């Protein structure tokens, strides 16, 4: 279906704050014509998430452009200490031309294959990825342990 933007909210982000989606939609309205891909991120608060390979960490420049995303604990000090970091939120927006370019690459790009993070394909193909910071998305469910944590959170909130 022809559209100016295509928005994808990953199914493993069931606790995504609705205000984050509102922020994404507002960003789309204000996006420069040259902007092709937008992704969301939020602060990482716990060192365990920082060290977790299931949590993609993002490094963003001062203008909001994605520099790199990794399952590794980045950025870190020489002593490998956790000071501050941000994590990717599974909420994206793409222009049709960016999706076409993505699909034309029939295999994973080298870094995408190593990290198993699809957004890296855009970086490797020379597409700038704009990042928007949103409030923490809660628990992303990527492992059986995450599912247990999510169920416990729901029980605590008495949400069924």
């Amino acid at each position: 279906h022809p559209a100016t933007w295509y928005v994808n909210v990953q199914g493993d982000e069931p606790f995504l704050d609705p205000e984050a989606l509102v922020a994404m939609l507002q960003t789309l309205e204000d996006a420069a014509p040259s902007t092709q891909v937008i992704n969301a991120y939020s602060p990482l608060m716990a060192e365990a998430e920082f060290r977790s390979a299931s949590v993609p960490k993002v490094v963003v420049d001062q203008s909001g452009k994605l520099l790199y995303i990794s399952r590794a604990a980045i950025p870190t000090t020489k002593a490998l200490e956790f000071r501050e970091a941000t994590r990717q939120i599974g909420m994206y927006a793409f222009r049709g031309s960016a999706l076409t370019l993505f699909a034309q690459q029939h295999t994973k790009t080298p870094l995408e294959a190593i990290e198993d993070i699809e957004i890296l394909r855009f970086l490797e193909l020379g597409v700038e990825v704009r990042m928007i910071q949103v409030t923490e998305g809660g628990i992303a469910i990527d492992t059986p342990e995450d599912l247990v944590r999510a169920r416990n959170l729901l029980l605590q909130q008495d949400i069924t």
Side-chain angles (χ1 to χ4, degrees):
H1 299 282
T4 304
W5 287 99
Y6 300 87
V7 177
N8 175 354
V9 177
Q10 296 285 306
D12 64 355
E13 295 278 359
F15 299 101
L16 180 77
D17 183 343
E19 289 301 315
L21 183 55
V22 170
M24 174 66 79
L25 296 175
Q26 181 63 51
T27 300
L28 302 182
E29 289 180 15
D30 301 334
S34 61
T35 301
Q36 297 293 307
V37 178
I38 302 170
N39 191 194
Y41 72 107
S42 68
L44 256 174
M45 300 303 184
E47 186 168 353
E49 288 183 313
F50 178 69
R51 304 284 177 204
S52 172
S54 68
V55 178
K57 276 67 73 179
V58 298
V59 178
V60 178
D61 76 7
Q62 293 181 2
S63 71
K65 181 175 77 171
L66 177 65
L67 294 174
Y68 195 69
I69 182 168
S70 179
R71 294 184 180 284
I74 61 171
T76 190
T77 67
K78 283 183 179 182
L80 304 178
E81 299 167 313
F82 168 60
R83 291 212 181 140
E84 63 181 60
T86 54
R87 78 171 187 97
Q88 179 191 43
I89 301 293
M91 181 174 60
Y92 315 86
F94 309 97
R95 290 197 191 267
S97 57
L99 290 175
T100 298
L101 179 65
F102 186 94
Q104 288 172 344
Q105 176 72 36
H106 297 290
T107 59
K108 291 182 176 186
T109 53
L111 293 173
E112 176 191 7
I114 291 169
E115 296 272 11
D116 194 26
I117 300 173
E118 295 84 0
I119 206 79
L120 283 169
R121 185 179 304 189
F122 291 108
L123 289 182
E124 290 184 89
L125 294 175
V127 176
E128 182 177 289
V129 177
R130 304 301 305 170
M131 300 297 291
I132 62 165
Q133 187 168 348
V134 298
T135 57
E136 183 184 354
I139 300 169
I141 303 174
D142 297 306
T143 66
E145 295 80 17
D146 294 339
L147 181 57
V148 169
R149 288 176 44 226
R151 286 180 174 153
N152 288 338
L153 178 64
L154 289 173
L155 289 172
Q156 290 171 1
Q157 295 177 352
D158 197 30
I159 300 173
T160 55

